[in-house]
Amino acid sequence: MNVRIGIESELPTVDAQGMAADERSVQALFGRLARQEGFSTYSDATSGTVVGVRSRRGSGTLDVGNDYGFCTVEMALPPEEGFAAAKSAWHHTLDSLLLPALGAEALSVLAHGCQPRTETLGRAYLADKGHYQFWLAQAERFPGHYASDAWPGFAAVQFNIDVPLSDVIPVCNTLISMTPLLCAWGANSAVFGERVQPWQSLRMRGYQELAESNPFFADRLLFPRRLYSGLAQYMQDAWATPVFEVTRAGMIYRPMAVELTTAEFAAAGEAEFVDFHGAKRTLQCTVGDLASGLVFYWPAVRVRMRLDETCSVAEVLAAVAAGRPESVLHNGGRDTFVEVRHLPTMSRPETFSWLAMILGWLDNIEQCEKLFRPWTLALSRAAMPQVQAHGWDAEAAGAPIGQWAQQAFAVAEEGLRRGKAAPAEELEPLARRLRDRTNPATDAVACLRAEGIEALVEKLRM
């Protein structure tokens, strides 16, 4: 299997002391990158603040910009053909572009975990982007139900993998069920504010808190309400959730009726919205709004798809209702990617060990699906608190997580040896984790206790 693979790396950015980078230094970083040939800055349309740089490449756009907080720099690479090309592009971009520019500004990025020294980043570190200002405004509608300390900068890697349309839903369902296993194997943020925390992953804790306490996020975070019989059901469920935002000429709007769903907006054809400055407008529903309404934020996986914008809203809705969603996808659905999310970046070999593991599962998806069939959605949801607290010591479906991991590893290895999407030898770093029952979180805790915070920060620097 030689599929297209895009990689997004979220990298906590720190100063020489390991504290979260300030906004001035991150802005200077973008200015330095913009002086590279082919690069230019881009700004948030709402605030006008420079939030990243872009460069057009043959297969897409290379983007280095802000994520949720300005002290997290995200490096998003365009898709490459196959494992080897994706790995090479990631290393080259990091070594020849990002790390030298960071060094010139006396900055560095962390390889895994969260900001281990900077406590409670909160609103003061929020990127000056309209999208996240709206996110925070929704969260703060429910006082006391948003833990700002659960959202410091996190290192994470996300793989966008070009999966055949017929496999998209089986892959999505299987990875959703496997979420506790992925979180145990890759737990990566147990040290925060120079202290050991009682959670294997602060990021996942934040998602869980927000999903359980805030109705607006309930269907976007953690787990879906059900697994899916097909792509049409997936799309209909996405449209049954409240509209997050719509964009017109770069300006972001949210609905006046906070419970307005994408389906209701599409059925009515128009609705009242308000922009970031409080100005009200009546907006017509577009195919672009339907496309943005398909985005979920589940921990383990989401589907990225493009709608055919030559269709009308009515044609898209009719096709999906009739069970023919592929007929209204751009390029016949060949631009549909499965995004595997929130894996720890970790060491370089371990990062690509995760990619190899996922490709092995995809090349053996029937066996993977069969193995995890006992992991119902309810079971996986119930297992998450155990995984959050105990990592490898958690259990699921009556057996230790480690036992499930051994079987999952065998499925991935078989898939790689048969399909050759990546060398099976790439799995060794995760095999070692499995043998030792460690993850980046346990490594960080052990380092902090044995050597102190200074040593931990130095070990995390890339």
Side-chain angles (χ1 to χ4, degrees), residues 160-348:
N160 299 305
I161 303 173
D162 179 18
V163 173
L165 204 57
S166 59
D167 288 344
V168 164
I169 292 304
V171 166
C172 187
N173 285 340
T174 303
L175 290 175
I176 288 169
S177 299
M178 291 170 66
T179 297
L181 174 65
L182 272 65
C183 290
W185 217 329
N188 74 335
S189 53
V191 176
F192 174 52
E194 303 194 18
R195 296 188 302 274
V196 175
Q197 300 292 337
W199 306 282
Q200 293 282 312
S201 170
L202 288 165
R203 181 176 191 143
M204 296 302 301
R205 170 199 170 221
Y207 269 58
Q208 188 167 345
E209 275 194 13
L210 206 49
E212 291 175 352
S213 63
N214 190 317
F216 183 83
F217 295 98
D219 293 316
R220 287 178 166 83
L221 307 176
L222 219 56
F223 288 95
R225 289 172 292 181
R226 59 182 172 183
L227 300 181
Y228 297 101
S229 60
L231 192 60
Q233 189 182 74
Y234 176 98
M235 296 167 76
Q236 288 169 333
D237 268 23
W239 290 333
T241 60
V243 174
F244 182 63
E245 64 190 29
V246 300
T247 304
R248 297 291 186 273
M251 181 62 71
I252 298 172
Y253 296 83
R254 59 184 171 87
M256 294 289 292
V258 295
E259 302 301 324
L260 178 74
T261 68
T262 300
E264 290 167 344
F265 183 27
E270 64 180 31
E272 296 297 313
F273 286 78
V274 60
D275 70 15
F276 192 76
H277 306 292
K280 298 177 183 179
R281 269 186 71 184
T282 299
L283 299 179
Q284 308 292 316
C285 184
T286 69
V287 172
D289 299 329
L290 293 179
S292 63
L294 295 175
V295 176
F296 286 108
Y297 294 90
W298 301 325
V301 61
R302 73 181 178 199
V303 178
R304 289 179 173 269
M305 67 184 87
R306 293 177 60 191
L307 296 176
D308 181 356
E309 297 208 11
T310 65
C311 296
S312 67
V313 169
E315 287 170 334
V316 172
L317 295 176
V320 172
R324 295 182 291 100
E326 65 282 348
S327 67
V328 289
L329 294 180
H330 178 77
N331 198 18
R334 285 182 289 277
D335 296 310
T336 301
F337 288 78
V338 169
E339 179 186 25
V340 187
R341 297 168 52 75
H342 299 330
L343 296 168
T345 303
M346 303 177 291
S347 67
R348 295 189 187 210

Side-chain angles (χ1 to χ4, degrees), residues 59-83:
S59 55
T61 301
L62 171 62
D63 187 310
V64 180
N66 279 147
D67 194 53
Y68 182 79
F70 61 74
C71 53
T72 299
V73 171
E74 183 171 50
M75 183 177 79
L77 280 68
E80 301 285 349
E81 289 287 341
F83 177 88

